[in-house]
Amino acid sequence: MLLRGTGVGRGIAIGPVVRMPDPLSEPDEKRRTTDADSEYSRARAALTTVAADLADRAALAGGEAEGVIHAQAMMTQDPALLDDVRSRIEAGSTAERAVFEAFHSVRQLLLSMGGSPADRAVDVADVSQRVIAQLRGVAPPGVPNVDHPFVLLASDLAPSDAAMLDIGQVLGLITLGGGPTSHTAILARSKGIVAVVGVADAAGIDDGATVLLDAGDGTVTVAPTPEEIAASRERLLARRVAVPVGPGTLADGTGIELLANIGSPDEAEAALRQGAEGIGLFRTEFLFFGARTAPTVAEQQAVYRRLFAACEGKRVVVRTLDAGSDKPLAFLGTGVEENPALGVRGIRALRAHESVLRDQLTALAAADAETDADVWVMAPMVADADETGYFVALARSLGIRVAGVMAEVPSCALMAGQVLGIADFVSIGTNDLTQYTLAADRRLAAVAGYSDPWHPAVLRLVKMLGDAGTQSGRPVGVCGEAAADPMLAVVLVGLGISSLSMAPSALDAVRTQLRQHTLEHARALAVSALGASTAADARARVSEQS
Ligand code: PEP
Ligand code: MG
């Protein structure tokens, strides 16, 4: 049986499926108990077991996640919560229902408070599910503990589940939901996990069934035959003909900088070893993720210093905190928003909490002064010249030497000339640019067909930015997932892009593809793609001519 989705990367994986349990059903309100004492003992025992399990997970996770998971463990022993569970059981509720309602009321309270307390509501819901699973004797939600390598099948992954993935065990990942630019896909790419996302029909695959994932083709074959496995190996070998590690160049010698996207300083060395000429996107959210308050200037400076020291003499482009919408952060709470993707996020959230931005810029400038990397700093989700002016002036006043912006909102591309009159450089975030141009949530499988940076509408916006870069003589790069697609990378270069930043695992394939085209040919391919009517049409036109 052959199923189709969207592949992440070009790898192939074979292994037995392990299904991630779906969220639990709500405990039945109508079931009642008359034996309150034994029902309460059951509840206490389950709460204690979950507390111990979470404490183990916290120790295993380490880093920022440790504090968050530890706080979850503490919730199970909260005296007010235990009292609430007891009184609900005494009023006739089952242990499952009492636990469900007691946690639910904590959740409602946190949500009604808005701001940072509201962001903890999701942690509370997770603990509640764990305790109910324990009471029912079923597997808790989250990535299962299995002692053999497996292909994980999940509806979608929460960031906390994704962070727990053990790449030694997970051979591949299939998700029913999610598009190619969802954070699950980005994480899979950065961890080098072979993934096919948005495979709606995968719900019927049995636990333990052998599957063959081909990310290059975006397919999942259930119970593959030996011939199918052999053919997939041939495909993999054919994809592996890479040019030696070195700077990115076109066939005519034009240099195209190939940079790496990373999410922590620890990833920098490996990225440079894999041939990255520098870091094109350092996502700083990990410093803030799970924190109840912003890290201090000194704490941040130490992290940035470590990164810059690892990249001596090389370019490092740091993105200031990108909070909101798909990256909610506790202490930058903006209250409940009906439509957070269109809410106070990115530069808007930083502007509303300027002290957080000032501290980050101060720490970056101080770390820059102590080291020898070529540090560039950019703000996320900038809409126009006004926001560009605000960020660039503030950054310069705090000692940042090269200040730029990310073009992820279509207005930024439409105003490219003005933006590049102020910013030292622009980096295009094609993940969000695609989401906002096509009005398609990047996390939603149902609209994954629209989440395609090959769409000529997206390419036209990239061209506006590329042209403005050429006219102003200022660099315009791409750091969204589009840069990791070898053929699209060539088209982007033809649109005026001078650097491409991607997960290190994609560097080889992109470097190899660039070497096969002159700048003139890349421009011709770009013209052809711009004239297409759909993403599929653009792909087809380019593949015919290359
Ligand atoms: C993007 O939107 O393309 C981008 C690089 O930023 P992120 O994926 O972190 O939103
Ligand atoms: Mg973005």
Side-chain angles (χ1 to χ4, degrees):
M1 185 173 45
L2 185 74
L3 310 175
R4 290 196 180 276
T6 306
V8 178
R10 292 150 60 82
I12 285 176
I14 305 170
V17 160
V18 168
R19 297 178 67 102
M20 186 149 125
D22 283 327
L24 303 170
S25 60
E26 189 177 316
D28 189 354
E29 197 178 356
K30 294 198 201 80
R31 276 191 54 212
R32 311 300 287 168
T33 181
T34 47
D35 186 356
D37 283 343
S38 69
E39 204 62 9
Y40 183 62
S41 317
R42 257 183 8 99
R44 275 308 295 261
L47 285 157
T48 307
T49 307
V50 169
D53 177 52
L54 286 169
D56 289 349
R57 281 177 160 252
L60 212 80
E64 295 290 328
E66 182 169 354
V68 179
I69 303 173
H70 190 67
Q72 286 187 302
M74 305 281 289
M75 283 175 204
T76 63
Q77 305 303 311
D78 181 67
L81 180 109
L82 294 175
D83 281 352
D84 192 15
V85 169
R86 167 144 224 136
S87 56
R88 286 176 195 275
I89 289 176
E90 280 169 355
S93 284
T94 59
E96 287 87 338
R97 184 73 200 177
V99 164
F100 172 80
E101 287 178 358
F103 276 103
H104 186 69
S105 72
V106 176
R107 244 187 110 223
Q108 291 305 108
L109 181 70
L110 292 172
L111 285 173
S112 70
M113 289 160 78
S116 63
D119 290 322
R120 291 176 56 203
V122 57
D123 303 356
V124 174
D126 178 57
V127 180
S128 169
Q129 291 257 309
R130 287 178 184 282
V131 180
I132 294 167
Q134 178 66 28
L135 282 163
R136 287 183 181 167
V138 298
V143 180
N145 279 330
V146 183
D147 61 2
H148 58 79
F150 61 95
V151 173
L152 183 66
L153 169 61
S155 295
D156 204 353
L157 288 185
S160 54
D161 292 327
M164 296 292 291
L165 283 187
D166 172 0
I167 47 170
Q169 291 285 71
V170 179
L171 299 166
L173 174 66
I174 306 170
T175 62
L176 308 189
T181 59
S182 65
H183 283 273
T184 306
I186 293 176
L187 192 112
R189 198 191 293 282
S190 78
K191 288 197 170 204
I193 296 176
V194 177
V196 184
V197 300
V199 191
D201 296 336
I205 302 177
D206 291 332
D207 215 22
T210 299
V211 288
L212 164 68
L213 266 67
D214 185 334
D217 286 355
T219 56
V220 176
T221 310
V222 184
T225 61
E227 293 74 33
E228 283 169 329
I229 293 174
S232 75
R233 295 224 159 96
E234 295 282 311
R235 288 201 297 278
L236 189 60
L237 285 178
R239 284 175 201 159
R240 275 205 183 134
V241 202
V243 298
V245 167
T249 45
L250 299 178
D252 56 14
T254 309
I256 303 296
E257 268 176 309
L258 295 180
L259 308 167
N261 292 354
I262 60 169
S264 89
D266 305 335
E267 297 165 36
E269 263 179 45
L272 298 178
R273 263 202 314 277
Q274 286 178 70
E277 296 169 58
I279 305 301
L281 170 62
F282 174 51
R283 291 184 167 101
T284 54
E285 288 75 50
F286 87 100
L287 273 168
F288 299 80
F289 181 64
R292 298 287 176 234
T293 54
T296 64
V297 171
E299 282 163 355
Q300 292 189 57
Q301 187 179 338
V303 174
Y304 303 144
R305 189 191 301 125
R306 195 146 60 82
L307 169 65
F308 300 160
C311 300
E312 211 182 301
K314 306 246 188 298
R315 161 101 40 83
V316 182
V317 184
V318 181
R319 175 176 76 190
T320 56
L321 176 61
D322 184 15
S325 189
D326 57 339
K327 309 181 188 81
L329 276 180
F331 60 87
L332 279 197
T334 45
V336 179
E337 293 176 332
E338 283 282 324
N339 201 349
L342 304 181
V344 184
R345 58 170 308 193
I347 184 75
R348 301 172 192 175
L350 292 172
R351 215 169 175 175
H353 297 82
E354 195 180 280
S355 62
V356 174
L357 177 57
R358 281 180 172 274
D359 281 359
Q360 191 172 20
L361 292 170
T362 304
L364 284 164
D368 183 16
E370 291 175 313
T371 48
D372 287 322
D374 177 20
V375 176
W376 295 15
V377 181
M378 62 187 182
M381 306 293 302
V382 168
D384 57 19
D386 173 66
E387 283 182 350
T388 305
Y390 162 77
F391 177 75
V392 170
L394 185 66
R396 293 229 170 92
S397 75
L398 293 170
I400 299 298
R401 289 173 296 130
V402 185
V405 300
M406 282 189 76
E408 309 180 86
V409 181
S411 60
C412 188
L414 295 164
M415 308 301 281
Q418 291 182 9
V419 167
L420 273 155
I422 303 167
D424 293 324
F425 70 97
V426 163
S427 181
I428 310 177
T430 45
N431 306 334
D432 278 311
L433 187 62
T434 306
Q435 148 162 282
Y436 290 113
T437 304
L438 277 308
D441 186 335
R442 61 195 270 188
R443 295 169 301 175
L444 193 62
V447 293
Y450 295 93
S451 282
D452 192 334
W454 275 93
H455 198 288
V458 178
L459 300 181
R460 287 174 189 216
L461 293 174
V462 172
K463 180 173 188 317
M464 287 181 174
L465 289 154
D467 287 348
T470 310
Q471 270 155 29
S472 62
R474 297 184 169 187
V476 176
V478 168
C479 64
E481 293 297 290
D485 174 335
M487 233 19 260
L488 185 50
V490 176
V491 172
L492 295 173
V493 167
L495 293 170
I497 298 310
S498 58
S499 69
L500 298 163
S501 191
M502 64 203 79
S505 60
L507 286 164
D508 268 355
V510 172
R511 185 186 300 108
T512 305
Q513 191 60 252
L514 290 180
R515 289 277 175 98
Q516 291 161 32
H517 307 268
T518 60
L519 184 56
E520 200 188 333
H521 188 225
R523 285 184 178 145
L525 293 177
V527 168
S528 181
L530 287 169
S533 54
T534 61
D537 184 22
R539 262 197 193 86
R541 286 174 179 227
V542 168
S543 90
E544 262 165 33
Q545 293 169 55
S546 42

